[in-house]
Amino acid sequence: MKIIHMSDLHLSADGALVWKEDCRRRFLTAIRQIKMMRDIDAIIVSGDVSNDGSLDSYYFADRIFAELNIPTYWCAGNHDNLNVMFTTFRPKFCYLSNQALIGGWRLYLVNSVAKDNDKPNSNRSKGIVTMNIRNELDGQLSKNPEPSIIVLHHPPLEIGGWQDNKILKERETFRELLCHHKNVKLVLSGHAHTFSVKKNENILYSTASSTGFAFSTELPKYEIKQGQEGFS
Ligand SMILES: [Fe+2]
């Protein structure tokens, strides 16, 4: 099976630059590259589809992904507006469901986005998977025997750079849950805007870079690493 893992598209309604980077143009470049690839079974986008949470940005992404005609699954990131994304937006092509089956593998799309209590219109940068969501996932992983891929925006394993201050809270608890299920093989995340891959307790953890702008574990916080943007 061949999967493309994309993350952190950071699209805006009017194509406005984000951190002086043209995320819309770079997203379209990624799409052109994917058009040249063969036999892709699915595309997984691990959050931050939008930078401004606008309805237009979601419709734009949905319309562009439809051109590829490859099943495409999204989860939310901290820059996404969960209300717009899951309530107002009606995707014509992409899937926003919690679960899917692809080629005998079960995909779980887990929400790790937490509201910022001080700023009602935005989300916290750090992520959390609530106890309710953890319990639901635990039950589903026990019930469904297929090999499984877990997708969530915030990495549940350290990647070794400044980004580790911004990843999933209570991540040891989350990883412990995954370890109890031998069917969990792969965990895909974004948020760090850096490619990484690590094995922990027989589970492969990978973060995709951002299609819009990349960071590096080697560079100071929020310094952009040109040329490292892309997808896995
Ligand atoms: Fe992001």
mmCIF file of all heavy atoms in Angstrom, residues 7-10 47-48 51 78-79 153 190-193 210 213 215, ligand 1:
data_model
loop_
_atom_site.group_PDB
_atom_site.id
_atom_site.type_symbol
_atom_site.label_atom_id
_atom_site.label_comp_id
_atom_site.label_asym_id
_atom_site.label_seq_id
_atom_site.Cartn_x
_atom_site.Cartn_y
_atom_site.Cartn_z
ATOM 1 N N SER A 7 0.840 17.466 5.562
ATOM 2 C CA SER A 7 0.437 18.138 6.794
ATOM 3 C C SER A 7 0.633 19.642 6.656
ATOM 4 O O SER A 7 1.382 20.102 5.799
ATOM 5 C CB SER A 7 1.267 17.607 7.966
ATOM 6 O OG SER A 7 0.583 17.863 9.170
ATOM 7 N N ASP A 8 -0.064 20.367 7.510
ATOM 8 C CA ASP A 8 0.187 21.796 7.684
ATOM 9 C C ASP A 8 0.236 22.553 6.350
ATOM 10 O O ASP A 8 1.242 23.159 6.000
ATOM 11 C CB ASP A 8 1.479 21.962 8.494
ATOM 12 C CG ASP A 8 1.319 21.387 9.899
ATOM 13 O OD1 ASP A 8 1.464 20.154 10.050
ATOM 14 O OD2 ASP A 8 0.981 22.138 10.825
ATOM 15 N N LEU A 9 -0.887 22.493 5.649
ATOM 16 C CA LEU A 9 -0.992 23.201 4.360
ATOM 17 C C LEU A 9 -1.069 24.713 4.588
ATOM 18 O O LEU A 9 -0.637 25.488 3.755
ATOM 19 C CB LEU A 9 -2.235 22.737 3.596
ATOM 20 C CG LEU A 9 -2.537 21.224 3.583
ATOM 21 C CD1 LEU A 9 -3.792 20.948 2.761
ATOM 22 C CD2 LEU A 9 -1.369 20.444 3.033
ATOM 23 N N HIS A 10 -1.673 25.124 5.691
ATOM 24 C CA HIS A 10 -1.790 26.539 6.087
ATOM 25 C C HIS A 10 -2.337 27.422 4.959
ATOM 26 O O HIS A 10 -1.762 28.457 4.610
ATOM 27 C CB HIS A 10 -0.435 27.070 6.592
ATOM 28 C CG HIS A 10 -0.108 26.590 7.974
ATOM 29 N ND1 HIS A 10 -0.531 27.234 9.105
ATOM 30 C CD2 HIS A 10 0.566 25.490 8.392
ATOM 31 C CE1 HIS A 10 -0.109 26.558 10.178
ATOM 32 N NE2 HIS A 10 0.547 25.497 9.771
ATOM 33 N N GLY A 47 -3.740 17.701 9.659
ATOM 34 C CA GLY A 47 -4.143 18.956 10.297
ATOM 35 C C GLY A 47 -3.473 20.220 9.796
ATOM 36 O O GLY A 47 -2.519 20.182 9.032
ATOM 37 N N ASP A 48 -4.026 21.356 10.256
ATOM 38 C CA ASP A 48 -3.652 22.683 9.754
ATOM 39 C C ASP A 48 -3.843 22.745 8.228
ATOM 40 O O ASP A 48 -2.973 23.236 7.501
ATOM 41 C CB ASP A 48 -2.232 23.102 10.170
ATOM 42 C CG ASP A 48 -2.158 23.546 11.620
ATOM 43 O OD1 ASP A 48 -3.206 23.550 12.304
ATOM 44 O OD2 ASP A 48 -1.056 23.904 12.079
ATOM 45 N N ASN A 51 -4.939 28.038 7.447
ATOM 46 C CA ASN A 51 -4.194 28.914 8.365
ATOM 47 C C ASN A 51 -5.129 29.879 9.070
ATOM 48 O O ASN A 51 -4.905 30.240 10.220
ATOM 49 C CB ASN A 51 -3.141 29.703 7.592
ATOM 50 C CG ASN A 51 -2.219 30.454 8.532
ATOM 51 O OD1 ASN A 51 -1.433 29.851 9.261
ATOM 52 N ND2 ASN A 51 -2.333 31.784 8.548
ATOM 53 N N ASN A 78 -4.280 22.794 15.112
ATOM 54 C CA ASN A 78 -4.602 23.931 16.000
ATOM 55 C C ASN A 78 -4.930 25.215 15.231
ATOM 56 O O ASN A 78 -5.551 26.114 15.779
ATOM 57 C CB ASN A 78 -3.472 24.177 17.008
ATOM 58 C CG ASN A 78 -2.133 24.394 16.361
ATOM 59 O OD1 ASN A 78 -1.661 23.527 15.618
ATOM 60 N ND2 ASN A 78 -1.522 25.526 16.600
ATOM 61 N N HIS A 79 -4.511 25.311 13.968
ATOM 62 C CA HIS A 79 -4.881 26.490 13.175
ATOM 63 C C HIS A 79 -6.248 26.336 12.524
ATOM 64 O O HIS A 79 -6.795 27.302 12.006
ATOM 65 C CB HIS A 79 -3.829 26.778 12.101
ATOM 66 C CG HIS A 79 -2.606 27.437 12.649
ATOM 67 N ND1 HIS A 79 -2.455 28.805 12.688
ATOM 68 C CD2 HIS A 79 -1.508 26.917 13.224
ATOM 69 C CE1 HIS A 79 -1.295 29.094 13.251
ATOM 70 N NE2 HIS A 79 -0.694 27.960 13.586
ATOM 71 N N HIS A 153 -2.812 15.516 14.917
ATOM 72 C CA HIS A 153 -1.976 16.659 14.549
ATOM 73 C C HIS A 153 -0.701 16.753 15.397
ATOM 74 O O HIS A 153 0.393 16.956 14.879
ATOM 75 C CB HIS A 153 -2.799 17.955 14.683
ATOM 76 C CG HIS A 153 -2.060 19.173 14.242
ATOM 77 N ND1 HIS A 153 -1.609 19.334 12.943
ATOM 78 C CD2 HIS A 153 -1.669 20.294 14.917
ATOM 79 C CE1 HIS A 153 -0.990 20.508 12.840
ATOM 80 N NE2 HIS A 153 -0.999 21.100 14.026
ATOM 81 N N GLY A 190 1.705 15.958 12.443
ATOM 82 C CA GLY A 190 2.268 17.139 11.790
ATOM 83 C C GLY A 190 2.743 18.101 12.854
ATOM 84 O O GLY A 190 3.452 17.705 13.768
ATOM 85 N N HIS A 191 2.343 19.356 12.718
ATOM 86 C CA HIS A 191 2.553 20.406 13.720
ATOM 87 C C HIS A 191 4.011 20.851 13.855
ATOM 88 O O HIS A 191 4.280 22.027 14.042
ATOM 89 C CB HIS A 191 2.013 19.933 15.082
ATOM 90 C CG HIS A 191 1.895 21.012 16.112
ATOM 91 N ND1 HIS A 191 1.183 22.172 15.889
ATOM 92 C CD2 HIS A 191 2.386 21.099 17.383
ATOM 93 C CE1 HIS A 191 1.254 22.931 16.987
ATOM 94 N NE2 HIS A 191 1.973 22.312 17.888
ATOM 95 N N ALA A 192 4.958 19.918 13.772
ATOM 96 C CA ALA A 192 6.375 20.257 13.959
ATOM 97 C C ALA A 192 6.973 20.884 12.697
ATOM 98 O O ALA A 192 8.054 21.474 12.750
ATOM 99 C CB ALA A 192 7.164 19.014 14.338
ATOM 100 N N HIS A 193 6.274 20.750 11.555
ATOM 101 C CA HIS A 193 6.772 21.258 10.269
ATOM 102 C C HIS A 193 8.173 20.703 9.959
ATOM 103 O O HIS A 193 9.028 21.395 9.402
ATOM 104 C CB HIS A 193 6.796 22.795 10.240
ATOM 105 C CG HIS A 193 5.429 23.423 10.216
ATOM 106 N ND1 HIS A 193 5.078 24.431 9.341
ATOM 107 C CD2 HIS A 193 4.313 23.166 10.945
ATOM 108 C CE1 HIS A 193 3.819 24.784 9.556
ATOM 109 N NE2 HIS A 193 3.337 24.033 10.532
ATOM 110 N N SER A 210 5.770 20.449 6.538
ATOM 111 C CA SER A 210 4.619 21.219 6.051
ATOM 112 C C SER A 210 4.791 21.417 4.552
ATOM 113 O O SER A 210 5.922 21.583 4.078
ATOM 114 C CB SER A 210 4.611 22.569 6.772
ATOM 115 O OG SER A 210 3.919 23.531 6.021
ATOM 116 N N PHE A 213 5.702 25.693 4.723
ATOM 117 C CA PHE A 213 6.990 26.192 5.238
ATOM 118 C C PHE A 213 7.486 25.256 6.319
ATOM 119 O O PHE A 213 6.709 24.789 7.150
ATOM 120 C CB PHE A 213 6.878 27.636 5.750
ATOM 121 C CG PHE A 213 5.817 27.856 6.790
ATOM 122 C CD1 PHE A 213 6.138 27.884 8.142
ATOM 123 C CD2 PHE A 213 4.484 28.014 6.421
ATOM 124 C CE1 PHE A 213 5.153 28.079 9.100
ATOM 125 C CE2 PHE A 213 3.490 28.203 7.381
ATOM 126 C CZ PHE A 213 3.834 28.237 8.719
ATOM 127 N N PHE A 215 10.192 23.991 9.470
ATOM 128 C CA PHE A 215 11.116 24.338 10.545
ATOM 129 C C PHE A 215 12.165 23.235 10.623
ATOM 130 O O PHE A 215 12.054 22.209 9.949
ATOM 131 C CB PHE A 215 10.378 24.445 11.890
ATOM 132 C CG PHE A 215 9.325 25.512 11.931
ATOM 133 C CD1 PHE A 215 8.061 25.249 12.455
ATOM 134 C CD2 PHE A 215 9.591 26.793 11.459
ATOM 135 C CE1 PHE A 215 7.082 26.233 12.505
ATOM 136 C CE2 PHE A 215 8.613 27.780 11.513
ATOM 137 C CZ PHE A 215 7.357 27.491 12.037
HETATM 138 FE FE FE B 1 1.135 24.104 11.425
#
